[in-house]
Amino acid sequence: AGLRHAMTSAAPVADGPLARFALRSAAWAERWFPDAYVFAALGVVVVALAALAFGATPTATAAAFGDGYWSLIPFTMQMAFVVIGGYVVATAPAVARLIDALARVPRTGRGAICYVALVSRLTSLLSWGFSLVFGGLLVRALARRDDLDMDYRAAGAAAYLGLGAVWAMGLSSSAAQLQANPASMPPGLLAITGVIPFSETIFLWQSIALTAALIAVSLLVCFLTSPRGASVKRAREFEGADRLAAEETHAAALPPRTRPGEWLEYSPLITLLLASMSVGWLVYEFAQKPAVVAIANLNTYNFLFLTAGLLLHWRPRSFLNAVARAVPSTGGVLIQFPLYGGIASLLTAAKGADGQTLAHHLSSVFVRIASTETFTLVMGVYSAVLGFFVPSGGGKWIIEAPYVMQAANDLQVHLGWAVQVYNAAEALPNLINPFWMLPLLGVLGLKARDIVGFTFLQLLVHIPLVLGLLWLLGMTLSYHPPVMP
Protein backbone atom coordinates (compact mmCIF):
# COMPACT_ATOMS: atom_id res chain seq x y z
CA ALA A 1 0.00 0.00 0.00
CA GLY A 2 2.86 2.32 0.83
CA LEU A 3 4.48 1.62 -2.53
CA ARG A 4 1.25 2.31 -4.40
CA HIS A 5 0.83 5.58 -2.48
CA ALA A 6 4.38 6.64 -3.35
CA MET A 7 3.81 5.87 -7.02
CA THR A 8 0.51 7.74 -7.25
CA SER A 9 1.70 10.75 -5.26
CA ALA A 10 4.97 11.18 -7.15
CA ALA A 11 5.50 14.40 -9.08
CA PRO A 12 4.51 14.27 -12.76
CA VAL A 13 7.26 13.45 -15.24
CA ALA A 14 8.86 16.64 -16.52
CA ASP A 15 9.95 17.19 -20.11
CA GLY A 16 13.61 17.88 -20.79
CA PRO A 17 14.81 21.20 -22.28
CA LEU A 18 14.90 19.84 -25.83
CA ALA A 19 11.40 18.41 -25.49
CA ARG A 20 10.14 21.78 -24.19
CA PHE A 21 11.79 23.54 -27.14
CA ALA A 22 10.16 21.10 -29.56
CA LEU A 23 6.74 21.66 -27.96
CA ARG A 24 7.12 25.45 -28.18
CA SER A 25 8.14 25.10 -31.84
CA ALA A 26 5.11 22.88 -32.46
CA ALA A 27 2.83 25.47 -30.86
CA TRP A 28 4.30 28.24 -33.02
CA ALA A 29 3.96 26.17 -36.20
CA GLU A 30 0.38 25.26 -35.38
CA ARG A 31 -0.47 28.94 -35.29
CA TRP A 32 1.61 30.34 -38.15
CA PHE A 33 2.55 27.58 -40.64
CA PRO A 34 0.76 27.90 -44.04
CA ASP A 35 -0.33 25.16 -46.43
CA ALA A 36 2.35 23.52 -48.63
CA TYR A 37 0.81 25.00 -51.79
CA VAL A 38 1.60 28.48 -50.46
CA PHE A 39 5.31 27.61 -50.35
CA ALA A 40 5.28 26.50 -53.99
CA ALA A 41 3.39 29.63 -55.08
CA LEU A 42 5.78 31.87 -53.16
CA GLY A 43 8.69 30.09 -54.87
CA VAL A 44 7.24 31.05 -58.26
CA VAL A 45 6.85 34.67 -57.18
CA VAL A 46 10.37 34.95 -55.74
CA VAL A 47 12.07 33.42 -58.80
CA ALA A 48 9.95 35.48 -61.22
CA LEU A 49 10.84 38.70 -59.40
CA ALA A 50 14.52 37.72 -59.48
CA ALA A 51 14.31 37.15 -63.25
CA LEU A 52 12.68 40.56 -63.70
CA ALA A 53 15.35 42.13 -61.51
CA PHE A 54 18.07 40.76 -63.82
CA GLY A 55 16.38 42.34 -66.81
CA ALA A 56 14.03 39.68 -68.15
CA THR A 57 10.95 41.20 -69.75
CA PRO A 58 7.49 40.50 -68.30
CA THR A 59 6.60 38.69 -71.56
CA ALA A 60 9.70 36.46 -71.41
CA THR A 61 9.09 35.73 -67.72
CA ALA A 62 5.46 34.77 -68.25
CA ALA A 63 6.37 32.68 -71.31
CA ALA A 64 9.06 30.80 -69.39
CA PHE A 65 6.65 30.02 -66.57
CA GLY A 66 3.94 28.78 -68.92
CA ASP A 67 6.34 26.77 -71.07
CA GLY A 68 7.71 24.99 -68.04
CA TYR A 69 4.39 24.42 -66.29
CA TRP A 70 3.82 20.95 -67.76
CA SER A 71 7.48 20.03 -68.29
CA LEU A 72 7.68 17.69 -65.29
CA ILE A 73 4.53 15.69 -66.04
CA PRO A 74 6.37 12.37 -66.70
CA PHE A 75 8.39 12.81 -63.52
CA THR A 76 5.26 13.89 -61.64
CA MET A 77 3.55 10.62 -62.58
CA GLN A 78 6.63 8.65 -61.53
CA MET A 79 6.61 10.35 -58.14
CA ALA A 80 2.88 9.79 -57.76
CA PHE A 81 3.38 6.10 -58.48
CA VAL A 82 6.14 5.93 -55.87
CA VAL A 83 3.50 7.02 -53.34
CA ILE A 84 0.82 4.72 -54.75
CA GLY A 85 3.15 1.71 -54.95
CA GLY A 86 4.40 2.27 -51.42
CA TYR A 87 0.85 2.64 -50.09
CA VAL A 88 -0.44 -0.46 -51.90
CA VAL A 89 2.38 -2.63 -50.54
CA ALA A 90 2.19 -1.19 -47.02
CA THR A 91 -1.59 -1.74 -46.75
CA ALA A 92 -1.63 -5.31 -48.08
CA PRO A 93 -3.11 -7.75 -45.52
CA ALA A 94 0.19 -9.59 -45.00
CA VAL A 95 2.08 -6.33 -44.46
CA ALA A 96 -0.71 -5.04 -42.19
CA ARG A 97 -0.23 -8.12 -40.00
CA LEU A 98 3.51 -7.41 -39.97
CA ILE A 99 2.82 -3.83 -38.86
CA ASP A 100 0.57 -5.05 -36.04
CA ALA A 101 3.31 -7.43 -34.93
CA LEU A 102 5.92 -4.67 -35.03
CA ALA A 103 3.61 -2.41 -33.03
CA ARG A 104 3.71 -4.88 -30.13
CA VAL A 105 7.48 -4.45 -29.65
CA PRO A 106 7.87 -1.05 -27.86
CA ARG A 107 7.27 -0.91 -24.12
CA THR A 108 7.23 2.86 -23.56
CA GLY A 109 5.95 5.89 -25.45
CA ARG A 110 9.44 7.32 -25.82
CA GLY A 111 10.75 3.97 -26.99
CA ALA A 112 7.90 3.74 -29.51
CA ILE A 113 8.85 7.11 -31.04
CA CYS A 114 12.51 6.10 -31.42
CA TYR A 115 11.37 2.74 -32.83
CA VAL A 116 9.26 4.49 -35.49
CA ALA A 117 12.21 6.73 -36.38
CA LEU A 118 14.48 3.72 -36.89
CA VAL A 119 11.94 1.84 -39.00
CA SER A 120 11.15 4.88 -41.16
CA ARG A 121 14.83 5.55 -41.84
CA LEU A 122 15.70 1.98 -42.75
CA THR A 123 12.67 1.57 -45.04
CA SER A 124 13.34 4.92 -46.72
CA LEU A 125 16.62 3.54 -48.02
CA LEU A 126 14.51 1.09 -50.02
CA SER A 127 11.66 3.44 -50.99
CA TRP A 128 10.71 6.84 -49.66
CA GLY A 129 7.08 6.28 -50.69
CA PHE A 130 6.92 2.96 -48.86
CA SER A 131 8.66 4.51 -45.85
CA LEU A 132 6.09 7.31 -45.50
CA VAL A 133 3.10 4.97 -45.67
CA PHE A 134 4.63 2.11 -43.67
CA GLY A 135 5.84 4.50 -40.97
CA GLY A 136 2.46 6.25 -40.82
CA LEU A 137 0.56 2.98 -40.50
CA LEU A 138 2.98 1.83 -37.81
CA VAL A 139 2.26 5.04 -35.86
CA ARG A 140 -1.48 4.41 -36.17
CA ALA A 141 -1.03 0.83 -34.96
CA LEU A 142 0.98 2.05 -31.97
CA ALA A 143 -1.63 4.73 -31.25
CA ARG A 144 -4.25 2.00 -30.80
CA ARG A 145 -2.33 0.71 -27.77
CA ASP A 146 -3.82 2.30 -24.66
CA ASP A 147 -0.85 1.17 -22.58
CA LEU A 148 1.59 3.37 -24.50
CA ASP A 149 1.96 6.98 -23.36
CA MET A 150 3.03 8.03 -26.87
CA ASP A 151 2.76 11.54 -28.25
CA TYR A 152 1.05 11.24 -31.65
CA ARG A 153 2.72 14.38 -33.04
CA ALA A 154 6.25 13.28 -32.11
CA ALA A 155 5.58 9.79 -33.48
CA GLY A 156 4.32 11.32 -36.73
CA ALA A 157 7.48 13.43 -36.96
CA ALA A 158 9.56 10.30 -36.37
CA ALA A 159 7.76 8.54 -39.23
CA TYR A 160 8.81 11.42 -41.48
CA LEU A 161 12.51 11.26 -40.65
CA GLY A 162 13.26 8.73 -43.40
CA LEU A 163 12.24 11.19 -46.11
CA GLY A 164 13.45 14.10 -44.01
CA ALA A 165 17.09 13.10 -44.05
CA VAL A 166 18.33 9.78 -45.47
CA TRP A 167 16.00 8.68 -48.28
CA ALA A 168 18.24 10.23 -50.94
CA MET A 169 21.16 8.14 -49.67
CA GLY A 170 19.32 4.94 -50.70
CA LEU A 171 17.91 3.18 -53.75
CA SER A 172 15.16 5.74 -54.40
CA SER A 173 17.60 8.64 -54.77
CA SER A 174 16.36 10.52 -57.81
CA ALA A 175 19.74 12.13 -58.50
CA ALA A 176 21.70 8.87 -58.21
CA GLN A 177 19.11 7.04 -60.32
CA LEU A 178 19.22 9.73 -62.99
CA GLN A 179 23.02 9.72 -63.16
CA ALA A 180 23.12 5.93 -63.47
CA ASN A 181 20.74 5.92 -66.46
CA PRO A 182 22.10 7.68 -69.56
CA ALA A 183 18.76 7.34 -71.36
CA SER A 184 17.08 9.42 -68.63
CA MET A 185 19.57 12.27 -68.63
CA PRO A 186 19.27 15.44 -70.70
CA PRO A 187 21.95 15.32 -73.44
CA GLY A 188 23.68 18.39 -72.07
CA LEU A 189 24.07 16.82 -68.63
CA LEU A 190 25.34 13.51 -70.02
CA ALA A 191 28.12 15.36 -71.82
CA ILE A 192 29.22 16.94 -68.52
CA THR A 193 29.00 14.03 -66.08
CA GLY A 194 28.97 10.85 -68.12
CA VAL A 195 27.41 7.81 -66.42
CA ILE A 196 27.92 7.57 -62.64
CA PRO A 197 26.99 4.10 -61.33
CA PHE A 198 25.61 3.42 -57.85
CA SER A 199 29.04 2.08 -56.84
CA GLU A 200 30.32 5.66 -57.11
CA THR A 201 27.37 7.27 -55.29
CA ILE A 202 25.13 5.52 -52.76
CA PHE A 203 27.41 2.48 -52.33
CA LEU A 204 30.56 4.42 -51.51
CA TRP A 205 31.75 3.54 -48.00
CA GLN A 206 31.80 7.25 -47.25
CA SER A 207 28.11 7.45 -48.15
CA ILE A 208 27.25 4.46 -45.96
CA ALA A 209 29.19 5.96 -43.03
CA LEU A 210 27.38 9.28 -43.42
CA THR A 211 24.00 7.54 -43.49
CA ALA A 212 24.78 5.52 -40.36
CA ALA A 213 25.84 8.68 -38.49
CA LEU A 214 22.64 10.51 -39.47
CA ILE A 215 20.46 7.62 -38.29
CA ALA A 216 22.24 7.38 -34.93
CA VAL A 217 22.09 11.12 -34.19
CA SER A 218 18.44 11.47 -35.23
CA LEU A 219 17.46 8.63 -32.89
CA LEU A 220 19.17 10.43 -30.02
CA VAL A 221 17.30 13.64 -30.84
CA CYS A 222 14.01 11.71 -30.94
CA PHE A 223 14.74 10.28 -27.51
CA LEU A 224 15.55 13.68 -26.01
CA THR A 225 12.59 15.54 -27.55
CA SER A 226 9.80 13.02 -26.88
CA PRO A 227 7.10 14.61 -24.67
CA ARG A 228 6.11 12.78 -21.52
CA GLY A 229 3.43 13.03 -18.88
CA ALA A 230 0.91 15.85 -19.21
CA SER A 231 2.52 17.13 -22.42
CA VAL A 232 1.58 14.01 -24.38
CA LYS A 233 -1.20 14.35 -26.97
CA ARG A 234 -2.85 11.11 -28.07
CA ALA A 235 -4.28 10.37 -31.52
CA ARG A 236 -7.87 10.74 -30.34
CA GLU A 237 -7.20 14.43 -29.63
CA PHE A 238 -6.82 15.11 -33.38
CA GLU A 239 -10.01 15.21 -35.39
CA GLY A 240 -8.41 13.91 -38.59
CA ALA A 241 -6.74 10.97 -36.86
CA ASP A 242 -9.96 10.06 -35.04
CA ARG A 243 -11.87 10.08 -38.34
CA LEU A 244 -9.27 7.88 -40.03
CA ALA A 245 -9.47 5.36 -37.19
CA ALA A 246 -13.20 5.01 -37.82
CA GLU A 247 -12.67 4.65 -41.57
CA GLU A 248 -9.91 2.08 -40.99
CA THR A 249 -12.25 -0.10 -38.98
CA HIS A 250 -14.93 0.18 -41.67
CA ALA A 251 -12.56 -0.65 -44.55
CA ALA A 252 -10.61 -3.44 -42.82
CA ALA A 253 -12.50 -6.30 -44.46
CA LEU A 254 -13.14 -6.72 -48.18
CA PRO A 255 -16.90 -6.25 -48.76
CA PRO A 256 -18.72 -9.28 -50.17
CA ARG A 257 -19.47 -9.63 -53.87
CA THR A 258 -22.98 -8.35 -54.72
CA ARG A 259 -23.39 -9.16 -58.45
CA PRO A 260 -22.15 -11.76 -60.95
CA GLY A 261 -20.18 -9.19 -62.94
CA GLU A 262 -17.81 -8.73 -60.01
CA TRP A 263 -16.51 -12.31 -59.92
CA LEU A 264 -13.25 -11.48 -61.71
CA GLU A 265 -12.64 -8.65 -59.23
CA TYR A 266 -12.81 -11.18 -56.40
CA SER A 267 -10.94 -13.96 -58.18
CA PRO A 268 -7.12 -14.25 -58.16
CA LEU A 269 -7.19 -15.28 -61.82
CA ILE A 270 -6.52 -11.77 -63.18
CA THR A 271 -3.84 -11.26 -60.54
CA LEU A 272 -2.06 -14.46 -61.56
CA LEU A 273 -2.16 -13.61 -65.28
CA LEU A 274 -0.92 -10.04 -64.81
CA ALA A 275 1.67 -11.04 -62.23
CA SER A 276 3.05 -13.82 -64.44
CA MET A 277 3.72 -11.33 -67.23
CA SER A 278 5.06 -8.73 -64.81
CA VAL A 279 7.38 -11.17 -63.06
CA GLY A 280 8.51 -12.48 -66.45
CA TRP A 281 9.48 -9.00 -67.55
CA LEU A 282 11.27 -8.31 -64.26
CA VAL A 283 13.23 -11.55 -64.55
CA TYR A 284 14.20 -10.60 -68.11
CA GLU A 285 15.17 -7.08 -67.05
CA PHE A 286 17.36 -8.20 -64.15
CA ALA A 287 18.92 -10.96 -66.31
CA GLN A 288 19.98 -8.41 -68.94
CA LYS A 289 21.50 -5.92 -66.50
CA PRO A 290 23.29 -5.92 -63.16
CA ALA A 291 20.77 -5.72 -60.32
CA VAL A 292 22.06 -2.31 -59.23
CA VAL A 293 21.58 -0.91 -62.75
CA ALA A 294 18.13 -2.44 -63.17
CA ILE A 295 16.74 -1.17 -59.87
CA ALA A 296 18.18 2.27 -60.63
CA ASN A 297 15.54 2.75 -63.34
CA LEU A 298 12.62 4.55 -61.71
CA ASN A 299 10.07 2.94 -64.02
CA THR A 300 11.39 -0.53 -63.14
CA TYR A 301 11.38 0.46 -59.48
CA ASN A 302 7.70 1.49 -59.58
CA PHE A 303 6.80 -1.56 -61.67
CA LEU A 304 8.35 -3.82 -59.04
CA PHE A 305 6.36 -2.24 -56.20
CA LEU A 306 3.06 -2.35 -58.10
CA THR A 307 3.60 -6.00 -58.98
CA ALA A 308 4.41 -6.81 -55.36
CA GLY A 309 1.28 -4.92 -54.25
CA LEU A 310 -0.90 -6.79 -56.73
CA LEU A 311 0.37 -10.15 -55.50
CA LEU A 312 0.13 -9.22 -51.82
CA HIS A 313 -3.48 -8.08 -52.19
CA TRP A 314 -4.22 -11.19 -54.28
CA ARG A 315 -7.72 -10.15 -55.35
CA PRO A 316 -8.07 -7.24 -57.82
CA ARG A 317 -10.82 -5.65 -55.72
CA SER A 318 -8.53 -5.45 -52.68
CA PHE A 319 -5.75 -4.01 -54.87
CA LEU A 320 -8.08 -1.41 -56.41
CA ASN A 321 -9.43 -0.41 -53.00
CA ALA A 322 -5.86 0.21 -51.82
CA VAL A 323 -5.09 2.30 -54.91
CA ALA A 324 -8.24 4.35 -54.33
CA ARG A 325 -7.16 5.07 -50.76
CA ALA A 326 -3.65 5.97 -51.95
CA VAL A 327 -4.64 8.47 -54.65
CA PRO A 328 -5.73 11.29 -52.27
CA SER A 329 -2.20 11.23 -50.80
CA THR A 330 -0.82 12.20 -54.22
CA GLY A 331 -2.96 15.33 -54.51
CA GLY A 332 -0.21 17.65 -53.31
CA VAL A 333 2.28 16.12 -55.77
CA LEU A 334 -0.09 16.47 -58.71
CA ILE A 335 -1.14 20.07 -58.08
CA GLN A 336 2.23 21.46 -56.98
CA PHE A 337 4.71 19.83 -59.36
CA PRO A 338 3.58 22.02 -62.29
CA LEU A 339 4.61 25.02 -60.22
CA TYR A 340 8.06 23.51 -59.76
CA GLY A 341 8.26 22.93 -63.51
CA GLY A 342 7.50 26.62 -63.94
CA ILE A 343 10.22 27.55 -61.46
CA ALA A 344 12.76 25.37 -63.28
CA SER A 345 11.88 27.06 -66.56
CA LEU A 346 12.13 30.53 -65.03
CA LEU A 347 15.62 29.67 -63.79
CA THR A 348 16.85 28.24 -67.09
CA ALA A 349 14.85 29.96 -69.86
CA ALA A 350 14.01 33.55 -68.83
CA LYS A 351 16.99 35.57 -70.12
CA GLY A 352 17.92 38.86 -68.55
CA ALA A 353 19.22 42.07 -70.13
CA ASP A 354 22.67 40.50 -70.66
CA GLY A 355 21.20 37.48 -72.45
CA GLN A 356 21.95 35.16 -69.54
CA THR A 357 19.56 33.20 -67.31
CA LEU A 358 19.31 33.06 -63.54
CA ALA A 359 20.88 29.59 -63.64
CA HIS A 360 23.92 31.03 -65.42
CA HIS A 361 24.30 33.79 -62.84
CA LEU A 362 23.99 31.25 -60.02
CA SER A 363 26.62 28.99 -61.57
CA SER A 364 29.00 31.92 -62.04
CA VAL A 365 28.69 32.85 -58.38
CA PHE A 366 29.07 29.21 -57.42
CA VAL A 367 32.35 28.72 -59.29
CA ARG A 368 33.66 32.10 -58.14
CA ILE A 369 33.29 31.42 -54.42
CA ALA A 370 34.07 27.68 -54.34
CA SER A 371 37.42 25.91 -54.39
CA THR A 372 38.37 22.24 -54.48
CA GLU A 373 38.53 22.24 -50.68
CA THR A 374 35.32 24.19 -50.07
CA PHE A 375 33.20 22.78 -52.92
CA THR A 376 31.25 20.34 -50.72
CA LEU A 377 30.39 23.02 -48.15
CA VAL A 378 29.34 25.60 -50.74
CA MET A 379 27.34 23.08 -52.77
CA GLY A 380 25.71 21.68 -49.63
CA VAL A 381 24.53 25.07 -48.42
CA TYR A 382 23.38 26.09 -51.88
CA SER A 383 21.43 22.86 -52.50
CA ALA A 384 19.76 23.07 -49.11
CA VAL A 385 18.66 26.67 -49.64
CA LEU A 386 17.37 26.00 -53.16
CA GLY A 387 15.49 23.00 -51.77
CA PHE A 388 13.10 25.33 -49.99
CA PHE A 389 11.95 26.65 -53.38
CA VAL A 390 12.17 23.48 -55.46
CA PRO A 391 11.51 20.55 -53.07
CA SER A 392 11.95 17.82 -55.65
CA GLY A 393 15.01 15.61 -55.51
CA GLY A 394 14.95 14.72 -59.20
CA GLY A 395 13.40 17.91 -60.56
CA LYS A 396 15.84 20.11 -58.67
CA TRP A 397 18.79 17.97 -59.71
CA ILE A 398 17.88 18.56 -63.36
CA ILE A 399 18.00 22.29 -62.59
CA GLU A 400 21.24 22.24 -60.61
CA ALA A 401 23.28 19.46 -62.18
CA PRO A 402 24.50 21.17 -65.39
CA TYR A 403 26.31 24.00 -63.62
CA VAL A 404 27.06 22.23 -60.33
CA MET A 405 28.67 19.22 -62.02
CA GLN A 406 30.55 21.43 -64.48
CA ALA A 407 31.96 23.23 -61.45
CA ALA A 408 32.91 19.84 -59.95
CA ASN A 409 34.78 18.99 -63.16
CA ASP A 410 36.52 22.38 -63.22
CA LEU A 411 37.56 22.04 -59.58
CA GLN A 412 38.33 18.29 -59.96
CA VAL A 413 35.97 17.08 -57.26
CA HIS A 414 34.87 13.41 -57.21
CA LEU A 415 31.69 13.43 -59.34
CA GLY A 416 29.95 10.65 -57.44
CA TRP A 417 30.55 12.41 -54.14
CA ALA A 418 29.17 15.63 -55.66
CA VAL A 419 25.94 13.70 -56.28
CA GLN A 420 25.96 12.52 -52.65
CA VAL A 421 26.61 16.04 -51.40
CA TYR A 422 23.47 17.03 -53.24
CA ASN A 423 21.55 14.04 -51.87
CA ALA A 424 22.46 14.69 -48.24
CA ALA A 425 22.02 18.46 -48.36
CA GLU A 426 18.88 18.43 -50.52
CA ALA A 427 17.05 16.41 -47.88
CA LEU A 428 17.65 19.00 -45.14
CA PRO A 429 14.84 21.43 -46.10
CA ASN A 430 12.47 18.44 -46.30
CA LEU A 431 12.53 18.45 -42.51
CA ILE A 432 10.44 21.62 -42.41
CA ASN A 433 9.11 22.00 -45.96
CA PRO A 434 5.56 20.58 -45.86
CA PHE A 435 5.49 19.44 -49.50
CA TRP A 436 6.79 15.91 -48.95
CA MET A 437 4.94 15.58 -45.65
CA LEU A 438 1.65 15.43 -47.55
CA PRO A 439 1.43 11.64 -48.13
CA LEU A 440 2.30 10.90 -44.49
CA LEU A 441 -0.08 13.55 -43.17
CA GLY A 442 -2.84 11.97 -45.24
CA VAL A 443 -2.14 8.60 -43.59
CA LEU A 444 -2.02 10.11 -40.09
CA GLY A 445 -4.84 12.63 -40.36
CA LEU A 446 -2.56 15.45 -39.19
CA LYS A 447 -1.48 18.86 -40.48
CA ALA A 448 2.10 19.88 -41.24
CA ARG A 449 1.98 22.28 -38.31
CA ASP A 450 1.37 19.34 -35.96
CA ILE A 451 4.77 17.74 -36.60
CA VAL A 452 7.03 20.49 -37.92
CA GLY A 453 7.98 21.69 -34.43
CA PHE A 454 9.74 18.37 -33.84
CA THR A 455 11.30 18.15 -37.29
CA PHE A 456 12.59 21.73 -36.96
CA LEU A 457 14.76 20.69 -34.03
CA GLN A 458 16.09 17.78 -36.10
CA LEU A 459 17.00 20.32 -38.80
CA LEU A 460 19.00 22.44 -36.35
CA VAL A 461 21.05 19.39 -35.36
CA HIS A 462 21.45 17.99 -38.87
CA ILE A 463 22.72 21.13 -40.62
CA PRO A 464 26.18 21.25 -38.98
CA LEU A 465 26.39 17.44 -38.82
CA VAL A 466 25.67 16.93 -42.53
CA LEU A 467 27.88 19.76 -43.77
CA GLY A 468 30.77 18.76 -41.51
CA LEU A 469 30.70 15.09 -42.51
CA LEU A 470 30.33 15.93 -46.22
CA TRP A 471 33.48 18.02 -46.02
CA LEU A 472 35.52 15.53 -43.95
CA LEU A 473 34.54 12.42 -45.94
CA GLY A 474 34.95 14.23 -49.25
CA MET A 475 38.63 14.75 -48.45
CA THR A 476 39.14 10.96 -48.71
CA LEU A 477 38.08 10.85 -52.39
CA SER A 478 39.93 11.80 -55.57
CA TYR A 479 38.66 13.03 -58.92
CA HIS A 480 37.99 10.73 -61.89
CA PRO A 481 37.11 12.07 -65.37
CA PRO A 482 33.55 11.44 -66.62
CA VAL A 483 32.83 7.98 -68.07
CA MET A 484 30.78 8.15 -71.24
CA PRO A 485 28.41 5.32 -72.23
Side-chain angles (χ1 to χ4, degrees):
L3 179 60
R4 285 196 301 270
H5 174 74
M7 292 176 64
T8 55
S9 61
V13 178
D15 294 314
L18 288 178
R20 291 195 298 271
F21 180 81
L23 288 169
R24 285 195 292 270
S25 299
W28 181 90
E30 185 175 353
R31 182 174 177 83
W32 293 103
F33 219 69
D35 187 84
Y37 186 84
V38 174
F39 276 87
L42 286 176
V44 173
V45 173
V46 169
V47 176
L49 290 176
L52 292 169
F54 276 96
T57 66
T59 300
T61 302
F65 174 70
D67 290 342
Y69 195 81
W70 301 115
S71 61
L72 294 180
I73 287 301
F75 188 70
T76 300
M77 292 305 297
Q78 288 176 323
M79 292 296 102
F81 270 103
V82 169
V83 176
I84 292 171
Y87 191 99
V88 167
V89 170
T91 56
V95 180
R97 289 192 292 271
L98 172 63
I99 290 174
D100 287 337
L102 291 174
R104 292 194 289 269
V105 174
R107 293 289 177 264
T108 65
R110 175 181 275 185
I113 291 169
C114 295
Y115 182 67
V116 169
L118 178 62
V119 170
S120 72
R121 292 208 157 204
L122 294 179
T123 53
S124 74
L125 297 175
L126 174 66
S127 164
W128 64 262
F130 178 76
S131 171
L132 285 179
V133 179
F134 190 89
L137 293 176
L138 178 59
V139 170
R140 282 168 57 174
L142 289 165
R144 291 194 292 268
R145 287 181 51 183
D146 293 330
D147 60 312
L148 278 183
D149 194 29
M150 182 188 77
D151 189 276
Y152 194 63
R153 302 162 299 173
Y160 183 65
L161 290 180
L163 184 65
V166 300
W167 74 274
M169 308 299 285
L171 289 175
S172 59
S173 165
S174 303
Q177 292 227 18
L178 187 72
Q179 291 296 154
N181 289 274
S184 301
M185 278 189 278
L189 177 59
L190 181 61
I192 295 170
T193 67
V195 177
I196 307 176
F198 276 1
S199 59
E200 293 295 308
T201 54
I202 63 175
F203 290 148
L204 286 168
W205 73 259
Q206 292 89 345
S207 178
I208 295 171
L210 173 61
T211 304
L214 293 177
I215 292 174
V217 171
S218 67
L219 290 176
L220 177 61
V221 175
C222 281
F223 181 81
L224 295 175
T225 58
S226 299
R228 294 186 292 169
S231 301
V232 171
K233 295 189 72 173
R234 306 294 290 267
R236 58 178 173 267
E237 299 180 49
F238 297 90
E239 181 181 351
D242 199 42
R243 173 181 52 79
L244 283 173
E247 292 177 358
E248 185 179 58
T249 303
H250 177 72
L254 189 66
R257 182 162 61 92
T258 58
R259 57 191 181 87
E262 293 177 335
W263 75 272
L264 278 177
E265 299 174 27
Y266 285 75
S267 168
L269 178 61
I270 294 295
T271 296
L272 290 171
L273 292 173
L274 285 176
S276 63
M277 288 189 291
S278 300
V279 171
W281 183 84
L282 288 168
V283 170
Y284 172 80
E285 183 74 1
F286 279 85
Q288 297 297 312
K289 305 172 183 176
V292 171
V293 175
I295 199 66
N297 187 304
L298 195 54
N299 287 332
T300 303
Y301 183 84
N302 282 334
F303 192 85
L304 178 62
F305 264 82
L306 288 174
T307 301
L310 182 65
L311 282 169
L312 286 168
H313 280 274
W314 195 239
R315 292 175 174 81
R317 175 43 53 197
S318 176
F319 175 78
L320 292 173
N321 287 348
V323 171
R325 292 194 297 271
V327 168
S329 298
T330 68
V333 176
L334 296 175
I335 199 62
Q336 293 178 49
F337 256 55
L339 295 181
Y340 298 125
I343 291 173
S345 184
L346 284 169
L347 285 167
T348 58
K351 295 184 178 181
D354 58 356
Q356 302 295 337
T357 64
L358 276 176
H360 173 81
H361 289 293
L362 289 171
S363 65
S364 299
V365 172
F366 191 89
V367 174
R368 191 181 308 124
I369 64 176
S371 65
T372 302
E373 292 74 22
T374 63
F375 177 85
T376 53
L377 289 176
V378 175
M379 180 180 176
V381 172
Y382 169 73
S383 295
V385 172
L386 188 60
F388 284 102
F389 300 99
V390 191
S392 160
K396 189 163 74 71
W397 179 245
I398 292 173
I399 298 170
E400 285 189 50
Y403 53 87
V404 166
M405 296 302 277
Q406 184 59 59
N409 275 323
D410 294 342
L411 298 172
Q412 296 198 335
V413 175
H414 188 282
L415 296 180
W417 189 243
V419 175
Q420 291 304 90
V421 170
Y422 170 83
N423 281 332
E426 189 274 335
L428 289 172
N430 288 358
L431 286 167
I432 59 171
N433 192 320
F435 178 73
W436 290 115
M437 296 179 184
L438 296 174
L440 174 65
L441 298 174
V443 172
L444 294 175
L446 293 175
K447 301 291 186 182
R449 55 180 173 264
D450 296 321
I451 70 173
V452 77
F454 298 93
T455 58
F456 173 67
L457 190 54
Q458 291 277 358
L459 174 66
L460 294 182
V461 174
H462 278 235
I463 288 175
L465 177 66
V466 168
L467 294 178
L469 287 176
L470 286 174
W471 177 67
L472 286 172
L473 293 171
M475 295 175 66
T476 66
L477 291 160
S478 57
Y479 173 74
H480 299 289
V483 178
M484 297 301 166

